[in-house]
Amino acid sequence: MGVVLETVELTKYFGVVKAADGISVRVEEGELVGIIGPNGSGKTTFLNLITGYVRPARGSIWYRGKDITGLSPRVVTRMGIARSFQIPQLYGGLTVLENMLVALAIRAGRSGEFWRPLQEDARLEEAMQTLSEFGLEGAAAQGVSSLAEGERKLLDVALSFALKPRLLLLDEPTSGVSVKDKFEVMDRLVRVLKSSGVTTVFVEHDLDVVMRYAERVLVFQEGRVIADGPPGIVLSDAEVKSAIVGTG
Amino acid sequence: MQWAIVLLLAIVAPLLPGWTVFLLSVALAKALVVLGIGLLMRGGLVSFGHGMYYAAGAYGVAFAMKLMGIREALVLAVLGLVAGGLLASVLGMLLARYRGLFFAMLNLALSMMVYGALLKFYWVTGGTDGMAVRQATFGGFVPPAGLLRVAYFYLSLGVVAIVVSMAHRLVRSPMGYLLRALRDNEVRVNYMGGWVEQTIYRVYVLSGGLAGLGGSLVVLNVGHAVPDFAYWSQSGEFVFVALFGGYGHVLGPLSGSILFEFVRSYAYKVSPYTWQLLLGAMLALVILFLPEGLWSLVERRMARRDRWGWSWRPSS
Ligand SMILES: Nc1ncnc2c1ncn2[C@@H]1O[C@H](COP(=O)(O)OP(=O)(O)OP(=O)(O)O)[C@@H](O)[C@H]1O
Ligand SMILES: [Mg+2]
């Protein structure tokens, strides 16, 4: 089991807000790690730092033994780190299928190709295959702007998954999903993730979801990791509970 | 579809009066510029300076004739393409980093510099007088006077047919889709590992090349390269026509350009002082009622018949 991701003393303040305050975390190959914490505790910032969207003021980020601190999102993604977003980031003028096809073309390094159609048979097949793994095959021909929020969220995850990353970072994958569908969506998601074996870090607000699916949980508070361990142990800790429930 | 139109134009052209053939040739050549601008617009980028590449093509032809004695029409057209593309490949390195209003205005600013240079270095460029361009040859032959117009027309038509079908492939290719994708969401393109600047740069160079190609064909037809080719109102006209015809489909610029040239010259004849009024009103109507351009009228019909083949707009 190798270390996929290691952050060392990651620090980033926005003015006086401590969005990251010395975060040192290590993620092993194949892990499914949940991140929980109240609003504004720096969860999204942590993902932004890893993927190069935000530069740390101090500290470093290591991916599979390489220092990736300061690299751009494009380069980081090319190296095998994909992410989904708290607010889905889609191509609003394209259909669900076209969104997926674009992801596949970029992954294959074919985005500069101008002679052959995007909708090649092999690519179409893989696109439909991936969409159906996420239960989105029925919406393939739909424009993404007409999707329900939960579906947009799922597509956003599916797009990052389609890049075949070695490390997948998901920012609240079920936040737009209704409470009653939440577990169904997570069941499906975790099944797909587990069968692919991709190392995954997911941010989640819902304690029950983290409890049920994460193998390990990191608790964030004011830019620091205040607890790290198996959910059963960590989440029964009184201090952690008050941190999450108290402010969140 | 595009071949049917090409065939139709090819057959009727020799039967039309000379000035109509001339007008058509110019409209076709300008459609190439508009097509290039339309490609950029698909990426959400509007250039108000493509007149400079248009001028680069025109002056490229004039210099190639004057200094190198090249007279072969097709060679001159290719030189126009290269001249526009080369200038765009230099300026594109700067421009590919900008978006929105900055991109539009930087293009404008650079084109004004080109315009100024064409005036300033008059001992080379002829200043406001411009440079005369002699008759071109076709395979070494000079067409007889009566057939020259038609020969130029077929040259333009042939070039347009090739370019339009290549553009049609491009917009359906991964690169064409990436262009639309980055217009929608640049952050996501980065987070897929796609290279936004590189794509914009390539399309920008292509659009510059097409503008140069258009400029070279126009100058062969009109026989005169003048600084006005690079003037901002010329650049604005290209954007106007792109909106008018619609850039959502490769045939939009073509139909828009032809209609524009004819309306302009007819309206000018009928009423020399109000033709801008008429054109303005037409564009306003198109923007209000056909926001995707004139060609979207045709497309709507086609869409019912053939869902995937022709439309490249989302099916929503
Ligand atoms: N680009 C930015 N500029 C200024 N402040 C920022 C920026 N990004 C984040 N912040 C601030 O940093 C703090 C942490 O934000 P972050 O989005 O990481 O929290 P979070 O844990 O993801 O919260 P939520 O649960 O609401 O998604 C917040 O106070 C936020 O306002
Ligand atoms: Mg967040």
Side-chain angles (χ1 to χ4, degrees):
Chain A
M1 283 282 150
V3 177
V4 175
L5 177 76
E6 181 164 10
T7 66
V8 182
E9 290 294 319
L10 272 189
T11 305
K12 176 74 191 177
Y13 293 0
F14 293 108
V16 294
V17 176
K18 297 175 178 176
D21 191 15
I23 302 177
S24 298
V25 165
R26 185 187 281 208
V27 177
E28 305 272 337
E29 184 114 39
E31 272 192 300
L32 180 56
V33 181
I35 295 182
I36 197 164
N39 288 111
S41 58
K43 306 182 294 294
T44 299
T45 300
F46 183 56
L47 303 193
N48 286 344
L49 284 164
I50 296 170
T51 53
Y53 192 70
V54 170
R55 263 168 203 261
R58 236 169 342 101
S60 57
I61 306 150
W62 299 77
Y63 168 65
R64 294 159 52 80
K66 288 192 209 90
D67 186 356
I68 60 165
T69 319
L71 299 182
S72 71
R74 180 177 67 83
V75 175
V76 169
T77 307
R78 280 248 164 264
M79 291 175 83
I81 303 179
R83 77 172 283 188
S84 75
F85 297 81
Q86 193 165 351
I87 298 161
Q89 299 295 317
L90 308 170
Y91 305 125
L94 304 185
T95 64
V96 171
L97 179 61
E98 287 166 342
N99 269 266
M100 184 52 77
L101 289 166
V102 167
L104 296 179
I106 294 177
R107 185 195 76 201
R110 296 297 177 84
S111 58
E113 208 167 81
F114 58 91
W115 197 242
R116 289 159 67 179
L118 176 73
Q119 317 217 347
E120 278 182 329
D121 288 345
R123 193 178 290 138
L124 268 173
E125 199 172 304
E126 190 187 345
M128 286 310 291
Q129 164 79 33
T130 311
L131 287 176
S132 64
E133 279 185 74
F134 286 85
L136 288 166
E137 73 278 14
Q142 239 172 291
V144 296
S145 42
S146 67
L147 294 180
E149 185 57 20
E151 289 174 309
R152 292 167 60 81
K153 209 77 209 207
L154 214 51
L155 176 59
D156 188 78
V157 174
L159 291 175
S160 51
F161 180 78
L163 300 173
K164 293 220 169 113
R166 304 191 65 153
L167 173 62
L168 187 57
L169 311 170
L170 307 176
D171 200 347
E172 305 200 20
T174 65
S175 68
V177 182
S178 70
V179 179
K180 81 174 168 32
D181 296 337
K182 219 169 188 159
F183 287 94
E184 195 189 317
V185 169
M186 272 312 281
D187 274 343
R188 184 188 275 276
L189 204 61
V190 169
R191 203 166 55 236
V192 175
L193 295 174
K194 277 289 146 194
S195 74
S196 78
V198 60
T199 310
T200 306
V201 175
F202 72 101
V203 172
E204 180 56 63
H205 248 126
D206 192 319
L207 240 153
D208 295 333
V209 171
V210 175
M211 200 71 175
R212 181 142 153 198
Y213 298 100
E215 295 161 355
R216 173 184 158 201
V217 57
L218 305 174
V219 183
F220 274 52
Q221 189 185 25
E222 291 176 4
R224 279 177 301 112
V225 179
I226 59 163
D228 177 353
I233 297 170
V234 167
L235 298 178
S236 57
D237 186 288
E239 193 188 332
V240 167
K241 262 189 185 154
S242 80
I244 300 168
V245 180
T247 345
Chain B
M1 181 71 181
Q2 68 258 55
W3 299 113
I5 292 175
V6 167
L7 205 66
L8 182 76
L9 284 170
I11 292 169
V12 300
L15 310 172
L16 299 171
W19 69 270
T20 311
V21 176
F22 169 75
L23 220 54
L24 271 176
S25 304
V26 170
L28 286 173
K30 285 186 173 176
L32 295 169
V33 193
V34 178
L35 189 65
I37 285 185
L39 286 176
L40 281 173
M41 283 171 137
R42 293 171 64 76
L45 296 164
V46 182
S47 163
F48 279 109
H50 262 49
M52 66 181 144
Y53 304 117
Y54 180 63
Y59 278 88
V61 165
F63 279 117
M65 272 195 174
K66 189 176 161 188
L67 305 177
M68 294 184 274
I70 298 171
R71 291 191 63 190
E72 190 55 36
L74 200 57
V75 177
L76 291 167
V78 172
L79 282 175
L81 175 84
V82 172
L86 269 181
L87 183 58
S89 69
V90 175
L91 302 182
M93 286 190 247
L94 171 74
L95 289 161
R97 279 183 253 152
Y98 293 89
R99 308 285 182 273
L101 196 58
F102 294 100
F103 179 85
M105 291 299 125
L106 257 180
N107 271 285
L108 179 73
L110 292 168
S111 75
M112 289 313 285
M113 288 167 70
V114 171
Y115 175 75
L118 289 174
L119 287 177
K120 172 89 183 160
F121 303 107
Y122 55 87
W123 59 91
V124 187
T125 63
T128 42
D129 292 341
M131 293 173 76
V133 169
R134 292 195 294 156
Q135 274 185 14
T137 57
F138 291 80
F141 295 102
V142 181
L147 285 180
L148 190 64
R149 291 257 164 271
V150 178
Y152 282 145
F153 171 77
Y154 280 124
L155 175 67
S156 300
L157 187 63
V159 169
V160 165
I162 292 166
V163 169
V164 163
S165 60
M166 283 170 64
H168 187 226
R169 282 193 91 114
L170 186 146
V171 296
R172 295 193 304 170
S173 72
M175 192 169 159
Y177 272 94
L178 196 71
L179 203 52
R180 285 172 61 188
L182 69 86
R183 170 200 180 138
D184 283 350
N185 195 334
E186 226 177 87
V187 170
R188 185 46 143 178
V189 174
N190 283 322
Y191 269 107
M192 282 185 175
W195 199 345
V196 173
E197 272 76 22
Q198 189 189 56
T199 306
I200 290 179
Y201 180 75
R202 287 176 178 173
V203 174
Y204 190 77
V205 173
L206 177 66
S207 75
L210 287 178
L213 182 60
S216 67
L217 291 175
V218 168
V219 86
L220 286 178
N221 274 286
V222 303
H224 211 141
V226 287
D228 279 352
F229 276 53
Y231 200 52
W232 61 267
S233 61
Q234 180 61 67
S235 299
E237 180 190 303
F238 293 135
V239 175
F240 182 109
V241 177
L243 289 172
F244 186 58
Y247 56 89
H249 192 284
V250 283
L251 290 176
L254 190 61
S255 51
S257 183
I258 291 174
L259 207 67
F260 180 86
E261 289 299 328
F262 277 85
V263 169
R264 173 159 66 184
S265 71
Y266 268 104
Y268 189 77
K269 269 184 206 163
V270 175
S271 155
Y273 299 110
T274 51
W275 64 277
Q276 288 100 333
L277 187 72
L278 181 67
L279 280 170
M282 278 173 62
L283 181 63
L285 286 176
V286 165
I287 288 174
L288 289 175
F289 299 107
L290 293 169
E292 284 169 69
L294 276 182
W295 190 259
S296 61
L297 265 184
V298 184
E299 250 195 326
R300 264 180 227 171
R301 293 249 159 116
M302 307 273 302
R304 264 174 245 142
R305 255 189 286 160
D306 177 0
R307 192 129 171 264
W308 288 104
W310 270 88
S311 170
W312 67 45
R313 279 185 287 111
S315 25
S316 60

